[in-house]
Amino acid sequence: MNKLRIAGAVSVLLLVLSLCGCIRYVELSDRAIVQAMGVDYLPDKGIYRISMQYFAQSSEGSKNQIDKTQANVLKSIGEGKSILQAVNNASLLTGKALLLSENRIIILGKEACRLDLKGIMEFFISNFHSHPQTYFACGENTAEEILDIRFKEGYVSSQHLIDIIDNAAALGKSSNEYAYTTMAQLMGGTKSTVLPLLKTEELATDGTIPPGGGNSSGGSGDKKEQQKETTVVPCGVVIFSDGTAKDKADEDVTMGIRLFYNAVEEITITINTDNNRTAALTLYDICTEITPRSIGDTLTFEVNTTAHARFDDRGSIGEVDTKGIEDAISKAESEIEACMKKALDKAKGCRADIFGLENALRNKNPEYYRAVKDNIGDVLFSAEFNLKAKCLPFSLGLQSF
Amino acid sequence: MSDEFLNPEQAVNITSDIEQNCTIIRALMKNSTDLLMKYAVVDKKRLVIVTIEGMVNKTILADLIYRPLTFCDISCDSGKELLSKLENELLAAEEQHQIYTFSELSRSIMAGFAVVLCEGADFALSIGAQGFAHRMISEPSTHINLRASREGFIEVIRVNIAMVRRRMKSPTLVTNLMPIASRSNTDVCVCYLDDKADKRTVGLILDRLKAIPLNTVMSGAYLQSFLEEDNSSLFSQVFVTERPDVFASKLYEGRIGIIVDGTPFALVIPGLFAESFQTMDDYTHKPFFSLFMRTLRYTAFILSALLPGLYVALCNFNPEIIRSSLLLNIYSSTQTTAFPIFGECIVMYILYEIMREAGLRLPRTVGHAVSIVGGLVIGEITVSAGLMSAPVVLIIAATGLCSFAVPDLYDSCMFLRLVFILAGGIFGLFGITVAGVILLFRLCSKSAYGVPYMSPFAPIKPKGIIRDTLVRMGWRFLSKSDITATELKGNGKEDNK
Amino acid sequence: MNKINSLQLAVTFIITRLSAEMLLIPGELIKYGPNRFYAILFAKVIVLLLYLPAVFITLRFKGDNFITATMRRSPLLAGFLGLLFTMGITCIIADTVINLQLYITDTLLHSLLLITGVIMIIFAGFYGAYKGVSAVSRTSVFALCFFILLIVLIIITMMPDMDMVYLYPSFIEDGEYFIQSMTAEVSCNSELLMFAVLCANVRQKPNKTLYYLLAVFVLLEVINLIYNLVLGPFLDALEYPLYVISSLSDIVIFQRLDGIDAIVWLFASIIKISMLLVCVKQIYSTVTKKSGSTMFLAVFSLFCFGLCMIIGNDRIIYNSFQKFMNTALPIVFSGAVIPLIALIAGKKRKEKKDE
């Protein structure tokens, strides 16, 4: 029995050793850890151009940690007739196998936005080692220009881009949906979604963005131009319908879209009060409920938005000025309604269901949805909308409440 | 010649001729220098007191034997009568009995008895006068606790039995002393609580002890492999303890304890996997603290076995699982190292084990030098020189630290670590999982005298788990009911394979 | 004969069924919407009915399984039924091994060759079967603990990303998907076969094991709920939805749980393969009346290896095989029809004797 056991153990050992060669792996040090990717499309040549920022440990020595004091990323570019080919070609410059799991942002250049978004996203998501919590964003410039800028903030450059998007989204000025949520939206009847829009801005000498925005950097040709300090700023969203980019939405419209989607944490509204003074309200705990009602063939969406309001700047409103407060609240409500109306008009213009109208109809009126689901786009955008905003003033700002 | 005298089955009897007896004894002991034979004459009859030097207490010997013999005034007709009178009237030792064969005689003198032979008597008188030098009771070197008893077993079996008895003053505590090993004649004591232990298991253990074919037994570990049901296994089904309090509490759970003369480590059967994670301190602290400490120990064990393998597997095959900033730090550290991560882990693992082994057996003064070499040279210089990456050194060091949290399983852990490094390095997480499942199959198939080794986790006994395995309930709860080893058998019907 | 208690067997069955959730149901049969909630419910009712012949056999023949019961009456018929039954089990083993290998290749280890994956999986399964039914059923306790830990971690970490908007109450799609989904659900219940054999190993009344269906039902509904709430319509595009959800879960120590998810599923599937091999071993022992069957087990494992290589190497054969397995025919035939035949045969024999 012992002999049998020894023979068994030896044969298992031999088997394992013989199987060693069957598994190929890449050492971590032989990988290029991709941090951000840009997808550009060159319509005249009909090819994709992929730009990548990948991590580069700049300091020497094996025990050194990440050097956060400098932009520790390198850039690589590749072109190809398909995204896969372009990615493979981009890896030729790195000389290493690509590791896509750390890639947290994929920027689509202005031409790439016109392509089928789902197709591009599927490429990245179908790789199980890619992260589904990747952000997709659009660029007003080419993706390459945006990725040319290497930030020193964050532990790697792309971290700053993500922080910019997150912060803008929290304030209702951009969108920050993960790839899988965007894919879920694209699986809807109208294949609609929104992606954050980024653009490059030149910084003023004091490090601020000049009023009205600086000139967008004009590509990567001129060395002097490149030396100018530029940054990336969020500037609204791009609306996608039927899988491709249809229109841009500025910050106001973006705010309306985000309000529809219950995705705004807090927004600030400034209103004019008497004596040419201004008051500022912060709206928080914002909640929008969309209720579809069908009477015969007419479909109406009741959109009720409620929010708590806090006066962070009272302006001329006194502590016991009930009328002044009511007026201010009323103006804030009108502003929200106007903002949402703008967003609605934009969405109708693009025929994009970016508010989750289909979900609302399916959840609350499944019978009706079943009847119209093959023609959902037409039904949604021929519907009536009743927008109502309600703000509830809270006592934090005004002691008299 | 000596073999036939020593063999109890051939049983050569003591004769009434004292000279012949003395000659036989000398021949039996090969004229050993530590054999002492003191002649005396009482009532005109020659006596000889046979002892082994160093095995008897000279004061006891003088008080109990020499002095009474010197001043006695006995008149007897025969040697037999003299010995009987000495036994019944004159000598009042705690242990004394008549012996009739040379094998008994030799065993007695070697156990520290003084044997009195008398001319004309065909038997001898064995008188307990043991007094060999031994270590005093001190704090155990392993299983050190904060608030539990400070006493540990010592090398003398009778002292150890007394320590157990002191903690379990119950008439149901049975101690069954027996010699094993034909040459060393080592005393072994099988202890159990008559009303708790499974009688079938007790019988089985006694049979196995009697059948042990060893000539010498120097430590309890010699017996361990004969008492285990699966000798080739990594994990032992025999629990080893140096603490009499742990030993006594195990007896209360229906286990059977074995104390071996000459070693401070007692054996407890059956030993289960979960018991390696229990300490006496668990019972002296509050239950929530015990839960926390036990959870830590389980975590330490898992980390100790898995961490290096997991590190290699994740870095080489699935780096996406590692947190971004950590991954980038690891990436930075591997850029200029000489070996691939797999190789680094293997080399560092071997270096660590060599360091540990070297430090363990060296004199303390040299041990410090080893610590300096290990800590500074291997830890610091290899990293600075770019031979090893800092994370690997940290991983191996952390693994070593974790393995000390569960000292009972150190040996198993050490081997498993190597297995998982190989599995993780060759096949990644897939290899680790397959190796882990095979290990679990093996562990779960083991039974110790009918009690599943992984009990109460598998087969699952929720009551056992929350009572005193993962969770240690409060004493009020524990006092309501007991779980004995017999109950963990699952009605005693579940057999292994 | 090795005896285990009904709770142990129930735990093993839960693990067996859960392993199928990831591997055996092809991605296209897990779709967004409420249909699958109902499909799971109906499938469990159907499975409960399919258990009836095996249950009747144990009740009628005092704890015997179908093969022992038939063996007493007609060894020839027992051999024939055993052969048919073994064929059913072989199909399930091959299906599980190939799907597991594909799953591992898609997720954990892209460079894993078919031969390497199959060898290692079958070897681990063989080792479990060699160690016996007690070892496998005890190991399944650990697998279940890992699984529950994984699900709890996923729920905790994904709670903020769950969107109730994705839940809608009633059928909107046509019924075709419902039927397909329900059939696939039934086809996953290979425990039916295991029960038919292992009911003889249960110490208490084997029927108690069937409470596992309730636990499996709850767990599957919870998993399905997570699919719907997190992924919404994106679910339709995914092959391994729970793997994707795991990759979204960040538990501080690990950035994503997908590797852990794959480990748990691999663990569960090896247990399932081991248990199926145990069943084959037991049938062989009963029919041939030999106690030592390790050599047979090794030969049978090698046969399974060969079969997996043939099916796994050819995409066309694999697809046809997969379609066949999804019809639930092997499960229904081996798990319910064969025990039914054994039951009827036993009854007729008894009637003849009575006459």
Side-chain angles (χ1 to χ4, degrees):
Chain A
M1 193 60 196
N2 272 340
K3 277 182 191 170
L4 259 178
R5 277 186 175 183
I6 292 165
V10 169
S11 53
V12 168
L13 198 68
L14 284 176
L15 183 70
V16 169
L17 289 175
S18 63
L19 291 175
C20 293
C22 301
I23 309 284
R24 193 183 69 85
Y25 74 89
V26 183
E27 275 287 323
L28 187 61
S29 52
D30 296 335
R31 289 176 187 260
I33 303 178
V34 179
Q35 299 292 328
M37 259 190 172
V39 182
D40 284 313
Y41 184 67
L42 310 179
D44 46 339
K45 292 183 187 169
I47 56 171
Y48 292 94
R49 188 177 169 88
I50 296 285
S51 336
M52 293 186 316
Q53 279 185 351
Y54 63 97
F55 180 70
Q57 176 58 25
S58 46
S59 46
E60 294 296 320
S62 59
K63 66 173 179 179
N64 288 316
Q65 296 176 332
I66 304 168
D67 188 354
K68 292 179 183 171
T69 59
Q70 46 193 303
N72 44 18
V73 285
L74 294 172
K75 203 181 120 188
S76 177
I77 294 169
E79 290 181 351
K81 285 181 181 169
S82 65
I83 295 178
L84 179 63
Q85 195 184 4
V87 168
N88 286 339
N89 287 340
S91 78
L92 293 177
L93 286 181
T94 67
K96 292 178 171 183
L98 299 183
L99 177 67
L100 295 176
S101 68
E102 295 305 308
N103 180 18
R104 288 304 176 84
I105 183 159
I106 294 165
I107 296 166
L108 307 178
K110 57 185 172 187
E111 290 298 335
C113 291
R114 299 201 175 101
L115 303 172
D116 178 30
L117 177 64
K118 204 173 150 196
I120 296 175
M121 288 182 81
E122 263 173 1
F123 168 77
F124 291 101
I125 291 178
S126 62
N127 178 350
F128 275 106
H129 286 191
S130 299
H131 207 289
Q133 278 179 343
T134 310
Y135 281 153
F136 274 78
C138 297
E140 266 202 350
N141 322 64
T142 61
E144 192 187 340
E145 281 168 6
I146 293 173
L147 291 183
D148 269 339
I149 302 165
R150 295 172 205 176
F151 297 101
K152 291 174 188 169
E153 297 91 341
Y155 58 86
V156 283
S157 176
S158 59
Q159 182 63 43
H160 187 61
L161 281 177
I162 293 163
D163 292 344
I164 287 173
I165 293 172
D166 279 342
N167 185 50
L171 297 170
K173 292 175 192 286
S174 186
S175 157
N176 65 339
E177 301 293 347
Y178 288 131
Y180 78 96
T181 318
T182 308
M183 277 300 275
Q185 289 164 358
L186 284 174
M187 301 289 283
T190 58
K191 296 179 187 169
S192 313
T193 189
V194 290
L195 289 183
L197 182 62
L198 301 172
K199 66 175 179 181
T200 55
E201 292 278 9
E202 278 177 19
L203 287 171
T205 46
D206 59 353
T208 59
I209 298 167
N215 296 326
S216 294
S217 67
S220 55
D222 193 345
K223 278 188 180 177
K224 275 189 180 175
E225 284 286 313
Q226 276 189 340
Q227 281 166 0
K228 279 182 183 173
E229 205 169 348
T230 50
T231 189
V232 175
V233 288
C235 54
V237 292
V238 175
I239 299 170
F240 284 77
S241 174
D242 209 18
T244 55
K246 287 288 184 282
D247 202 354
K248 286 190 288 188
D250 61 15
E251 288 181 2
D252 281 350
V253 176
T254 304
M255 176 86 77
I257 295 169
R258 302 289 285 169
L259 281 170
F260 261 104
Y261 220 83
N262 266 333
V264 185
E265 285 175 26
E266 58 176 43
I267 54 173
T268 302
I269 291 179
T270 309
I271 40 176
N272 292 319
T273 57
D274 299 336
N275 311 324
N276 286 333
R277 300 273 304 271
T278 55
L281 282 120
T282 301
L283 302 184
Y284 61 99
D285 202 8
I286 304 160
C287 179
T288 302
E289 196 180 345
I290 303 172
T291 313
R293 293 192 199 289
S294 59
I295 303 163
D297 283 346
T298 316
L299 178 67
T300 310
F301 284 99
E302 305 282 348
V303 182
N304 294 313
T305 302
T306 55
H308 284 97
R310 184 176 65 223
F311 282 84
D312 283 339
D313 179 1
R314 272 184 260 165
S316 62
I317 302 169
E319 282 195 13
V320 287
D321 185 1
T322 317
K323 189 174 177 305
I325 293 160
E326 276 176 7
D327 284 349
I329 292 292
S330 170
K331 280 178 184 169
E333 286 170 351
S334 308
E335 199 152 321
I336 292 170
E337 282 168 12
C339 192
M340 291 174 79
K341 178 81 171 61
K342 272 189 213 168
L344 188 61
D345 291 342
K346 192 68 137 181
K348 277 187 173 176
C350 299
R351 295 181 60 79
D353 173 22
I354 47 180
F355 311 127
L357 300 175
E358 187 181 355
N359 285 339
L361 187 62
R362 187 170 49 202
N363 288 357
K364 295 176 182 166
N365 202 341
E367 296 293 323
Y368 189 87
Y369 177 77
R370 192 182 299 140
V372 300
K373 71 172 179 174
D374 295 331
N375 194 25
I376 189 74
D378 292 338
V379 173
L380 291 179
F381 299 109
S382 60
E384 298 285 321
F385 285 85
N386 290 333
L387 305 177
K388 258 183 203 163
K390 179 82 187 151
C391 293
L392 307 167
F394 199 66
S395 63
L396 279 177
L398 288 173
Q399 297 303 319
S400 57
F401 282 112
Chain B
M1 177 185 169
S2 61
D3 285 351
E4 63 189 85
F5 291 99
L6 288 174
N7 191 347
E9 284 168 16
Q10 291 184 8
V12 178
N13 290 330
I14 295 167
T15 64
S16 52
D17 182 352
I18 192 166
E19 284 304 326
Q20 192 188 347
N21 288 341
C22 289
T23 314
I24 291 172
I25 292 168
R26 279 203 192 89
L28 193 67
M29 300 295 288
K30 308 283 187 219
N31 269 331
S32 179
T33 49
D34 60 347
L35 176 73
L36 298 179
M37 299 176 90
K38 174 84 178 161
Y39 292 90
V41 178
V42 174
D43 192 27
K44 294 177 187 167
K45 291 180 185 64
R46 287 185 70 200
L47 291 172
V48 62
I49 299 128
V50 188
T51 54
I52 297 280
E53 190 176 13
M55 294 295 285
V56 288
N57 186 325
K58 286 179 180 169
T59 318
I60 298 174
L61 197 64
D63 288 348
L64 270 183
I65 304 172
Y66 295 154
R67 203 186 310 268
L69 286 179
T70 312
F71 299 108
C72 74
D73 184 18
I74 305 173
S75 60
C76 304
D77 296 335
S78 65
K80 276 186 186 177
E81 196 183 339
L82 177 67
L83 273 189
S84 301
K85 278 197 175 176
L86 284 176
E87 185 185 4
N88 298 326
E89 296 170 18
L90 200 66
L91 308 178
E94 218 173 287
E95 291 175 271
Q96 57 184 41
H97 49 270
Q98 294 178 359
I99 51 177
Y100 294 91
T101 62
F102 283 104
S103 64
E104 284 177 90
L105 185 145
S106 84
R107 209 176 302 134
S108 292
I109 56 173
M110 280 177 230
F113 283 72
V115 175
V116 182
L117 292 152
C118 181
E119 195 170 6
D122 58 355
F123 67 94
L125 197 59
S126 168
I127 299 162
Q130 298 97 322
F132 39 79
H134 60 78
R135 187 167 63 90
M136 299 306 293
I137 294 175
S138 59
E139 196 168 352
S141 57
T142 56
H143 298 110
I144 294 166
N145 287 306
L146 293 176
R147 286 170 61 182
S149 154
R150 306 275 158 170
E151 284 185 348
F153 281 132
I154 60 167
E155 286 74 7
V156 187
I157 191 166
R158 286 175 189 278
V159 179
N160 291 347
I161 294 169
M163 277 196 273
V164 176
R165 177 70 74 180
R166 244 176 53 214
R167 284 166 176 80
M168 188 64 71
K169 298 182 186 76
S170 161
T172 57
L173 173 65
V174 179
T175 57
N176 193 341
L177 194 70
M178 57 198 263
I180 57 162
S182 57
R183 181 78 60 171
S184 64
N185 276 313
T186 310
D187 282 330
V188 167
C189 181
V190 179
C191 312
Y192 56 92
L193 286 178
D194 195 47
D195 53 340
K196 293 275 185 186
D198 180 22
K199 298 289 180 312
R200 213 173 48 171
T201 311
V202 174
L204 205 61
I205 288 170
L206 287 171
D207 290 345
R208 283 192 183 184
L209 281 174
K210 281 172 194 163
I212 287 175
L214 291 174
N215 287 324
T216 55
V217 170
M218 294 295 139
S219 141
Y222 283 45
L223 312 180
Q224 220 167 316
S225 57
F226 293 98
L227 296 168
E228 282 171 356
E229 300 209 321
D230 182 3
N231 190 23
S232 62
S233 176
L234 267 181
F235 295 83
S236 176
Q237 297 124 298
V238 177
F239 181 75
V240 180
T241 181
E242 204 183 347
R243 302 186 62 91
D245 47 2
V246 172
F247 188 84
S249 57
K250 296 285 175 206
L251 296 188
Y252 183 71
E253 287 170 4
R255 320 278 161 120
I256 295 123
I258 298 171
I259 304 173
V260 182
D261 194 28
T263 171
F265 295 96
L267 312 177
V268 179
I269 297 167
L272 306 182
F273 178 76
E275 283 175 313
S276 309
F277 299 88
Q278 298 170 348
T279 67
M280 269 316 277
D281 270 343
D282 294 346
Y283 302 91
T284 55
H285 287 102
K286 293 281 183 190
F288 67 86
F289 184 73
S290 308
L291 168 65
F292 178 66
M293 291 315 294
R294 281 188 184 173
T295 314
L296 274 187
R297 277 180 223 126
Y298 280 103
T299 313
F301 171 72
I302 293 167
L303 284 181
S304 169
L306 276 177
L307 193 60
L310 211 55
Y311 176 75
V312 178
L314 291 186
C315 286
N316 283 349
F317 295 95
N318 298 90
E320 71 277 358
I321 295 174
I322 306 170
R323 288 206 80 76
S324 299
S325 49
L326 179 62
L327 178 69
L328 296 183
N329 271 322
I330 295 171
Y331 181 77
S332 304
S333 67
T334 53
Q335 285 301 303
T336 54
T337 48
F339 302 104
I341 291 174
F342 183 28
E344 271 185 72
C345 261
I346 295 273
V347 171
M348 205 59 217
Y349 164 79
I350 293 169
L351 275 178
Y352 166 76
E353 290 301 336
I354 290 172
M355 259 179 354
R356 189 190 62 84
E357 189 63 21
L360 204 66
R361 319 232 175 264
L362 281 173
R364 274 186 193 170
T365 41
V366 191
H368 290 307
V370 172
S371 310
I372 292 166
V373 170
L376 285 180
V377 179
I378 296 184
E380 180 67 29
I381 309 293
T382 53
V383 173
S384 319
L387 292 173
M388 298 280 164
S389 61
V392 168
V393 176
L394 175 72
I395 293 273
I396 297 293
T399 306
L401 204 63
C402 286
S403 60
F404 292 130
V406 194
D408 290 345
L409 297 177
Y410 186 88
D411 305 356
S412 326
C413 241
M414 192 177 72
F415 181 73
L416 285 179
R417 205 177 305 153
L418 184 63
V419 169
F420 283 121
I421 292 176
L422 290 173
I426 298 170
F427 299 109
L429 287 176
F430 176 61
I432 288 184
T433 313
V434 171
V437 175
I438 289 175
L439 175 74
L440 277 174
F441 279 146
R442 189 160 178 75
L443 282 176
C444 291
S445 69
K446 275 158 65 99
S447 286
Y449 296 89
V451 182
Y453 181 63
M454 295 302 280
S455 185
F457 294 116
I460 188 163
K461 299 227 182 292
K463 190 186 163 194
I465 294 172
I466 58 159
R467 190 181 177 276
D468 188 16
T469 306
L470 187 63
V471 182
R472 199 277 286 171
M473 297 300 273
W475 281 111
R476 281 174 195 274
F477 183 88
L478 289 179
S479 64
K480 284 179 190 163
S481 63
D482 297 324
I483 286 190
T484 61
T486 320
E487 283 166 53
L488 288 175
K489 279 184 177 182
N491 303 336
K493 285 175 190 168
E494 190 170 0
D495 51 7
N496 180 22
K497 203 176 85 59
Chain C
M1 184 183 282
N2 293 344
K3 288 281 180 186
I4 52 175
N5 65 42
S6 53
L7 180 64
Q8 283 288 111
L9 195 61
V11 169
T12 313
F13 283 2
I14 293 171
I15 278 301
T16 309
R17 174 60 192 88
L18 289 176
S19 77
E21 178 65 13
M22 184 60 97
L23 302 172
L24 295 186
I25 295 186
E28 63 259 31
L29 288 176
I30 300 181
K31 285 192 174 171
Y32 169 58
N35 291 22
R36 192 157 178 262
F37 288 98
Y38 302 117
I40 292 170
L41 176 65
F42 278 88
K44 291 291 154 255
V45 175
I46 292 170
V47 170
L48 191 62
L49 294 174
L50 292 175
Y51 267 111
L52 288 179
V55 171
F56 281 137
I57 282 181
T58 54
L59 292 177
R60 189 179 163 83
F61 302 109
K62 291 172 188 167
D64 277 354
N65 58 18
F66 79 94
I67 199 87
T68 322
T70 319
M71 194 70 189
R72 287 214 189 97
R73 284 152 189 83
S74 161
L76 199 68
L77 181 65
F80 179 66
L81 289 184
L83 189 68
L84 285 179
F85 196 85
T86 306
M87 281 165 66
I89 288 183
T90 313
C91 287
I92 295 167
I93 291 175
D95 197 27
T96 311
V97 172
I98 295 166
N99 281 306
L100 184 59
Q101 203 278 339
L102 284 176
Y103 176 62
I104 298 297
T105 316
D106 279 347
T107 57
L108 270 186
L109 209 56
H110 293 311
S111 56
L112 183 71
L113 295 180
L114 177 71
I115 185 166
T116 317
V118 171
I119 283 181
M120 288 184 70
I121 294 164
I122 289 194
F123 175 74
F126 162 76
Y127 188 77
Y130 163 70
K131 283 289 169 190
V133 65
S134 312
V136 181
S137 63
R138 287 175 197 171
T139 310
S140 61
V141 174
F142 292 96
L144 186 64
C145 290
F146 291 145
F147 176 82
I148 289 174
L149 186 69
L150 175 77
I151 290 294
V152 168
L153 283 175
I154 287 175
I155 290 175
I156 291 170
T157 50
M158 294 311 296
M159 197 75 89
D161 295 318
M162 290 183 185
D163 199 340
M164 296 304 281
V165 165
Y166 291 140
L167 276 191
Y168 61 94
S170 59
F171 284 101
I172 284 170
E173 293 77 19
D174 49 36
E176 193 186 343
Y177 164 65
F178 174 75
I179 301 291
Q180 275 181 350
S181 177
M182 200 170 64
T183 317
E185 283 296 329
V186 174
S187 78
C188 287
N189 290 274
S190 54
E191 323 77 82
L192 204 61
L193 278 74
M194 294 181 195
F195 182 80
V197 179
L198 299 176
C199 55
N201 295 52
V202 182
R203 202 177 291 138
Q204 300 92 349
K205 278 189 176 173
N207 321 349
K208 280 186 181 175
T209 309
L210 299 190
Y211 284 113
Y212 94 93
L213 278 171
L214 192 65
V216 163
F217 168 70
V218 172
L219 281 169
L220 287 181
E221 294 289 22
V222 167
I223 294 171
N224 200 35
L225 190 67
I226 298 171
Y227 289 163
N228 279 271
L229 290 180
V230 177
L231 298 170
F234 185 36
L235 180 60
D236 295 354
L238 295 173
E239 197 173 357
Y240 304 124
L242 199 62
Y243 185 83
V244 173
I245 293 173
S246 310
S247 69
L248 296 167
S249 308
D250 184 337
I251 59 159
V252 183
I253 303 170
F254 297 119
Q255 174 163 274
R256 43 202 277 172
L257 283 176
D258 49 2
I260 316 293
D261 178 278
I263 285 176
V264 172
W265 249 266
L266 177 59
F267 191 172
S269 302
I270 291 175
I271 285 175
K272 178 181 174 184
I273 294 162
S274 284
M275 218 36 154
L276 289 167
L277 287 173
V278 165
C279 293
V280 174
K281 188 171 97 169
Q282 199 145 314
I283 290 171
Y284 174 79
S285 303
T286 315
V287 173
T288 59
K289 293 176 184 169
K290 283 181 186 168
S291 55
S293 44
T294 309
M295 193 49 79
F296 167 76
L297 195 62
V299 172
F300 184 74
S301 302
L302 276 175
F303 170 72
C304 289
F305 164 72
L307 190 67
C308 291
M309 291 304 295
I310 292 168
I311 298 171
N313 259 327
D314 193 323
R315 200 75 199 174
I316 299 167
I317 299 177
Y318 169 72
N319 285 340
S320 317
F321 180 66
Q322 197 66 51
K323 267 185 192 167
F324 169 67
M325 292 306 289
N326 282 338
T327 55
L329 274 176
I331 299 278
V332 174
F333 184 75
S334 303
V337 177
I338 291 179
L340 193 67
I341 295 170
L343 190 69
I344 294 165
K347 199 178 175 185
K348 285 200 170 170
R349 190 94 180 171
K350 204 179 173 202
E351 280 168 5
K352 273 185 185 175
K353 270 188 182 176
D354 291 344
E355 282 168 16

